[in-house]
Amino acid sequence: MDLLVVMSRTIFFYFLILICYRVMGKREIAQLSVSDLTISILIAELVAISIENKDESTFLTILPILLLVFLEILLAFIQLKCNGLRRLVDGKPSMIIDNGKLNIKEMVRQRYSVDDLVLALRTNKVKNIKDVDYAILETDGSLSVFKKSVDSSYPLPIIVDGKIDENVLKKYHKSKEWLIKKLEENNLTLKTILYAFYKGNTMYVVRK
């Protein structure tokens, strides 16, 4: 009898978790952000405890799982509207190789070793660090690699969802006032811009 209870609970939670992840719109495991991974671990622990404690009601497990799903969807919606919260929860991408040079300071801050970098480069089919112009450590832990080419400038976003990235402006030696003036010249406002990047003395804009 105990075996049947465990089997039935396992099958039940299998389909419940499948439905939950479909609702949350989860990506593959390697692309989970910090908040996604936290939710996944908590759900896995709740299910494991419920299967082991077969004498307790499954409702005591279903309720917190549904609550976690709701919180994840709510948090994802708020993050779409608030870049500050997104960076607080998931962090922001880090430039590991900038214009062909290793950013040692950022590697130390992210506790990202040279061995980690070499392994990630091999995964991206890059034989030598010297072949790379830019490498960016994404918030999900993956490394985006851009090899050297004739046009080696990497277009960094200066506006994302109406918010100015002042760190990128400093990199281009531009001011916030310069950007606002540039927008006004083209009859644009921050609220109307979804994404904008600067490349080759030209600003490219994607409207909302």
Side-chain angles (χ1 to χ4, degrees), residues 84-203:
L85 178 61
R86 185 187 308 134
R87 291 186 176 184
L88 178 65
V89 175
D90 295 331
K92 62 179 182 178
S94 301
M95 190 76 75
I96 301 300
I97 299 179
D98 187 358
N99 198 21
K101 298 179 181 179
L102 281 178
N103 189 343
I104 302 298
K105 183 177 180 181
E106 188 64 23
M107 290 178 69
V108 171
R109 193 173 75 86
Q110 297 294 334
R111 296 179 295 280
Y112 198 75
S113 69
V114 175
D115 287 337
D116 294 330
L117 175 60
V118 172
L119 174 62
L121 291 179
R122 286 201 300 267
T123 304
N124 284 276
K125 298 181 181 180
V126 177
K127 297 178 181 179
N128 198 316
I129 294 178
K130 294 181 180 179
D131 297 332
V132 179
D133 254 338
Y134 296 93
I136 302 172
L137 183 63
E138 306 293 355
T139 56
D140 60 9
S142 63
L143 189 73
S144 298
V145 178
F146 299 85
K147 298 180 182 179
K148 289 185 177 180
S149 61
V150 176
D151 181 11
S152 60
S153 58
Y154 174 72
L156 296 171
I158 55 177
I159 300 176
V160 178
D161 198 19
K163 303 293 191 306
I164 299 174
D165 192 325
E166 296 188 17
N167 291 326
V168 175
L169 279 179
K170 290 179 182 178
K171 181 178 177 62
Y172 287 126
H173 306 291
K174 302 293 184 181
S175 65
K176 186 176 180 180
E177 290 73 21
W178 169 86
L179 178 58
I180 297 298
K181 184 178 179 181
K182 196 79 172 177
L183 294 177
E184 290 176 349
E185 289 175 355
N186 292 276
N187 297 319
L188 294 170
T189 62
L190 289 174
K191 292 181 179 180
T192 62
I193 297 176
L194 179 65
Y195 183 86
F197 64 89
Y198 190 69
K199 183 178 180 181
N201 296 322
T202 303
M203 187 168 66

Side-chain angles (χ1 to χ4, degrees), residues 15-32:
F15 286 104
L16 176 64
I17 299 307
L18 278 180
I19 294 172
C20 289
Y21 273 75
R22 289 290 294 172
V23 170
M24 290 190 293
K26 295 296 98 179
R27 299 159 290 181
E28 60 183 278
I29 297 300
Q31 295 179 326
L32 292 181

Side-chain angles (χ1 to χ4, degrees), residues 76-89:
F77 178 78
I78 296 175
Q79 286 179 333
L80 287 175
K81 302 295 182 181
C82 180
N83 287 329
L85 178 61
R86 185 187 308 134
R87 291 186 176 184
L88 178 65
V89 175

